[in-house]
Amino acid sequence: MIMYFSILLLLISELAAKTMEELREEEALRKETQIAEKPWLRNVDWSTKLEEQLKDKVASYKPLSGLNLKQAMILLVGQVGAGKSSYFNTINSIFRGQISIQANAGSAEKSLTTSFRKYQVRDGYAGKPLNFRLCDTRGLEEDEGLEDQEIGYLLDGHVPEKYKFNPSVPLTTDTIGFVKMPTLADQMHCVAFVLDASTVDVIPVKVVERIKAMQTRINQRGIPQVVLMTKIDKICEEISNDVSKVFYSTAIKDSVEKVAMVMGLPRSHVLPVKNYECEVELDQNTNILALLSLRRILHFVGDYQQNKLDEIEAEQMAKMKFCNFL
């Protein structure tokens, strides 16, 4: 009987060891399949040189001449907790040279951002403001968030700085501070939707409907759109340890395609990013990925401004022809 139990225990231990080994092999295989041999989008040189080049490119950005603009306006829109404020904090941290939490950010059921803010990014601590602003808004919710009319006012530059959104008292033309005659400098030049990569499959239908309604207004104005796909480390754990694997990750590639389909945008408009959330020190690869996204946004801004300049020149030409006709 003792020998029988000894043999039985031996068999059980061997089976358990085999099972653990199989689990380890399955886990290793799963990680391998998450990371492809070749990048699916671009082959980035994750180096200090590239980081400095991207910083210089962003720092030297200037709005298109001929439009009398000092800064480009980039509107951040997204669900509560998606990382709008964290994106500003990430970009701000890169140029500050240390982790910054200037914008109130975190995870909560209700939006932590309640006021409209046009955040400046400065080149160094107390340095010169860069020639763009990241405009933060309250987060989208199923039952609350930006009203359809308020989005129109935001896009057109009617909303004053630090205006506090109140679901029970919508913004109107009679609101104190309402910008009645906004210029191109007040208007938005690009809209960046901020989506949490780990919740793409479970975005509430009402939130998707709100986004689609916004897109209609954005498209009517010819404003370019991009998607900042945040929290990519939650869908690919390899990214937690090494952000440079982002364009090798099959999970992130699949999410980019999914987001592009949901938003009705080209895949090239979906930009993966990893915001600083719990880190206490800057990371070179995290910086590079964020700067790549911002550079892309500024390219879209440039396209929009070029279209505006073409419109202005066409109007001036039409007026000249009309005057000559008279």
Side-chain angles (χ1 to χ4, degrees), residues 205-224:
V205 174
K206 288 185 178 180
V207 172
V208 174
E209 290 174 352
R210 283 177 178 268
I211 290 174
K212 290 298 181 183
M214 289 180 190
Q215 286 186 298
T216 298
R217 288 184 176 269
I218 295 166
N219 290 332
Q220 289 170 346
R221 291 159 173 78
I223 301 173

Side-chain angles (χ1 to χ4, degrees), residues 102-134:
Q102 183 178 334
N104 192 16
S107 56
E109 291 184 3
K110 296 295 181 180
S111 179
L112 292 175
T113 302
T114 58
S115 300
F116 177 55
R117 296 300 311 273
K118 298 179 181 179
Y119 284 116
Q120 297 261 29
V121 177
R122 296 180 180 273
D123 192 5
Y125 182 73
K128 180 183 177 182
L130 301 184
N131 296 319
F132 62 87
R133 288 192 184 222
L134 296 175

Side-chain angles (χ1 to χ4, degrees), residues 54 58-59 74 87 91 94-95 121 130 132 134 228 271 273 288-301:
L54 290 170
V58 170
I74 301 160
Y87 182 72
I91 297 298
I94 294 170
F95 286 93
V121 177
L130 301 184
F132 62 87
L134 296 175
L228 293 168
L271 313 174
V273 292
I288 289 174
L289 190 60
L291 290 167
L292 284 170
S293 71
L294 182 54
R295 184 184 65 172
R296 183 78 171 133
I297 289 172
L298 292 174
H299 287 167
F300 284 117
V301 168

Side-chain angles (χ1 to χ4, degrees), residues 67 155 184 187-190 221-224 299-309:
L67 293 175
L155 297 174
L184 184 59
Q187 298 165 13
M188 297 301 133
H189 308 149
C190 183
R221 291 159 173 78
I223 301 173
H299 287 167
F300 284 117
V301 168
D303 292 340
Y304 175 74
Q305 292 176 357
Q306 184 63 63
N307 288 337
K308 282 294 180 182
L309 184 60

Side-chain angles (χ1 to χ4, degrees), residues 15 27 106 113 117 158 188 201 205 246:
L15 182 62
E27 179 65 13
T113 302
R117 296 300 311 273
H158 292 290
M188 297 301 133
D201 292 324
V205 174
V246 58

